[in-house]
Amino acid sequence: MDFSSIDLVHAFSALGAGVAVCSGIGTGIGQGNAAGMAAQAVGRNPGAKGDIMSTMLLGQAVAETTGLYGLVVALLLMFVKPFDK
């Protein structure tokens, strides 16, 4: 079996894209944890629902950027191949 350097680059870009997409696992766990804790907090103090929800949504937006960065990196690795001729 004969592998050229371009084939090796393509193989490792696919592998790297798979690893980059795995960053979504941590994002999902973090957002679920934040939503659960916010639900507990609202259950304990319903009067502070607005403050709790706004803080939770801000935290989830920040956590989601990690997943989006992983997706962008995966797309770049899969579709931008600098060594193709």
Side-chain angles (χ1 to χ4, degrees), residues 68-81:
L68 291 175
Y69 288 148
L71 177 65
V72 168
V73 167
L75 290 173
L76 286 173
L77 284 171
M78 289 302 295
F79 296 114
V80 178
K81 301 202 173 23

Side-chain angles (χ1 to χ4, degrees), residues 45-66:
N45 187 3
K49 179 182 178 184
D51 292 336
I52 292 169
M53 290 304 207
S54 64
T55 303
M56 179 199 67
L57 289 175
L58 179 66
Q60 286 190 342
V62 169
E64 184 66 26
T65 58
T66 306

Side-chain angles (χ1 to χ4, degrees), residues 17-28:
V19 171
V21 170
C22 287
S23 67
I25 295 171
T27 300

